[in-house]
């Protein structure tokens, strides 16, 4: 059997979008009985060691997933060899990741919504400065992507 895919989601702060993508993939993988290693990180370092934003925790909990134990961390160059797949939540994150990608990188790097038919090239919008409705949109986006990732990689 092949090694389980290892998937890293990257946003800016690692307290809103990427922890929700992590939660959604954990949930979809469990539902499918598929083994995945899953993690998330931020390009920025403002929220290192912080739990997800309370609004992100709330939307995950509404879908039965407890993210209160997640802690923010910043992406490192080692992530490009530790993971098989790295997904940026938006185009700015993808640009930043391409900038720091080391020459020995083995992970495939791409934009998350590129895995969702009809949503190619689109960002998962940053809900940080908005309201709860924005977090519901984030959840929908990352759940769709998580289902596609399980279908493609499991
Ligand atoms: P995230 O959202 O990248 O989805 O985690 C943000 C969280 C924090 C900040 C920006 C975006 N911030 O500027 O602190």
């Amino acid at each position: 059997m092949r090694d389980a895919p290892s998937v890293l989601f990257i946003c800016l702060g690692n307290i809103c979008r990427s922890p929700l993508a992590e939660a959604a993939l954990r949930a979809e993988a469990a539902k499918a009985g598929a083994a995945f290693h899953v993690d998330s990180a931020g390009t920025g370092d403002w929220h290192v060691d912080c739990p997800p934003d309370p609004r992100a925790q709330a939307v995950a909990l509404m879908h039965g997933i407890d993210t209160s134990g997640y802690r923010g961390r910043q992406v490192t160059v080692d992530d490009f060899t530790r993971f098989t797949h790295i997904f940026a939540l938006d185009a700015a994150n993808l640009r930043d990741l391409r900038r720091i990608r080391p020459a020995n990188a083995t992970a495939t790097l791409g934009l998350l919504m590129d895995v969702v038919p009809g949503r190619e090239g689109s960002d998962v919008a940053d809900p940080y400065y908005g309201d709860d409705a924005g977090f519901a949109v984030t959840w929908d986006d990352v759940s769709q992507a998580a289902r596609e990732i399980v279908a493609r990689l499991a």
Side-chain angles (χ1 to χ4, degrees):
M1 207 179 91
R2 188 159 75 101
D3 286 344
S6 49
V7 177
L8 179 65
F9 297 106
I10 304 287
C11 63
L12 178 60
N14 193 210
I15 55 167
C16 299
R17 292 165 294 173
S18 62
L20 288 179
E22 176 181 347
L25 182 54
R26 288 186 187 283
E28 290 298 330
K31 218 188 282 176
F36 275 84
H37 300 293
V38 191
D39 196 7
S40 63
T43 56
D45 66 358
W46 311 284
H47 302 288
V48 169
D49 292 332
C50 295
D53 185 285
R55 297 165 296 173
Q57 291 191 44
V59 76
L61 211 50
M62 266 191 279
H63 294 89
I65 304 151
D66 179 5
T67 60
S68 62
Y70 291 18
R71 291 293 178 269
R73 74 172 180 89
Q74 190 174 28
V75 66
T76 70
V77 289
D78 290 343
D79 287 323
F80 289 85
T81 47
R82 288 180 47 226
F83 290 87
T84 56
H85 297 78
I86 299 178
F87 290 106
L89 277 278
D90 70 28
N93 306 146
L94 184 58
R95 263 196 309 277
D96 290 342
L97 290 169
R98 286 191 172 132
R99 212 170 286 138
I100 63 166
R101 175 165 52 177
N104 67 340
T106 48
T108 64
L109 175 61
L111 188 66
L112 181 63
M113 294 310 280
D114 277 353
V115 305
V116 180
R119 297 293 304 280
E120 296 90 347
S122 55
D123 291 344
V124 176
D126 187 348
Y128 185 65
Y129 296 103
D131 56 18
D132 291 346
F135 283 80
V137 172
T138 304
W139 181 262
D140 285 347
D141 285 351
V142 299
S143 300
Q144 283 186 51
R147 282 192 287 276
E148 292 292 335
I149 290 169
V150 170
R152 291 174 190 213
L153 302 183

